[in-house]
Amino acid sequence: MQAQGGKNLAANPAPGFKLRPDHKVKCDLYRGDVIVSLEGTEIARSASAVLVTESDHRPILYMPQSDVHDEFLIESRHVTRCPFKGKARYWNVKIEDHEVDNAVWAYEMPYDEVLELAGLMAFYETKLDIEVIPAN
């Protein structure tokens, strides 16, 4: 990203795209509703989910943090780093006595190339129930 005169405006560029410029991360609004639950208890519901498709990965639905019932989330110490998206923080999901470790993640300060991920959370479909209801 450059302004007039060639000044670099990128404050937080993804290092991965320099090494693999062919790698793609695409964010599209999902047309429909997404419901995330654990043992029948709804922990998130959104009509504003974002479908993220990325080279070498299966598609993942992210939803606005405001659509997540944060009373079921417990911050985890687990952190990962993606060279294309940035640093991911994780949360456990706890319903009564059942706690599922590192079931939710978010890129709170994503790299410039994927700023659309800011404010969104994703859920492991192997740890939680995710219901996808396409729009009519």
Side-chain angles (χ1 to χ4, degrees):
M1 202 177 331
Q2 291 190 345
Q4 290 180 335
K7 185 177 179 183
N8 188 357
L9 296 178
N12 189 25
F17 291 111
K18 289 181 184 176
L19 299 173
R20 290 195 46 210
D22 59 322
H23 190 89
K24 304 289 183 222
V25 179
K26 186 177 176 197
C27 301
D28 294 302
L29 184 62
Y30 176 74
R31 305 269 183 229
D33 294 328
V34 179
I35 303 166
V36 180
S37 60
L38 176 62
E39 297 175 346
T41 299
E42 182 179 295
I43 61 168
R45 177 186 293 256
S46 184
S48 302
V50 174
L51 180 64
V52 177
T53 53
E54 181 176 358
S55 302
D56 307 323
H57 292 280
R58 61 182 172 70
I60 299 288
L61 284 164
Y62 286 70
M63 55 176 71
Q65 189 168 359
S66 59
D67 292 342
V68 179
H69 304 294
D70 60 0
E71 66 268 21
F72 299 119
L73 302 184
I74 298 171
E75 190 172 344
S76 168
R77 289 182 166 184
H78 187 62
V79 173
T80 59
R81 285 176 172 62
C82 170
F84 302 100
K85 296 183 296 285
K87 176 182 167 185
R89 289 185 49 217
Y90 287 76
W91 290 263
N92 299 344
V93 173
K94 185 171 183 179
I95 308 284
E96 296 178 7
D97 292 333
H98 187 188
E99 188 167 341
V100 180
D101 292 339
N102 305 316
V104 181
W105 76 93
Y107 296 95
E108 294 181 308
M109 294 185 353
Y111 290 130
D112 294 340
E113 294 86 348
V114 290
L115 285 176
E116 302 94 334
L117 295 177
L120 301 178
M121 300 183 101
F123 309 83
Y124 276 107
E125 62 186 18
T126 56
K127 297 181 179 191
L128 302 168
D129 298 314
I130 302 176
E131 181 182 1
V132 178
I133 307 165
N136 293 333

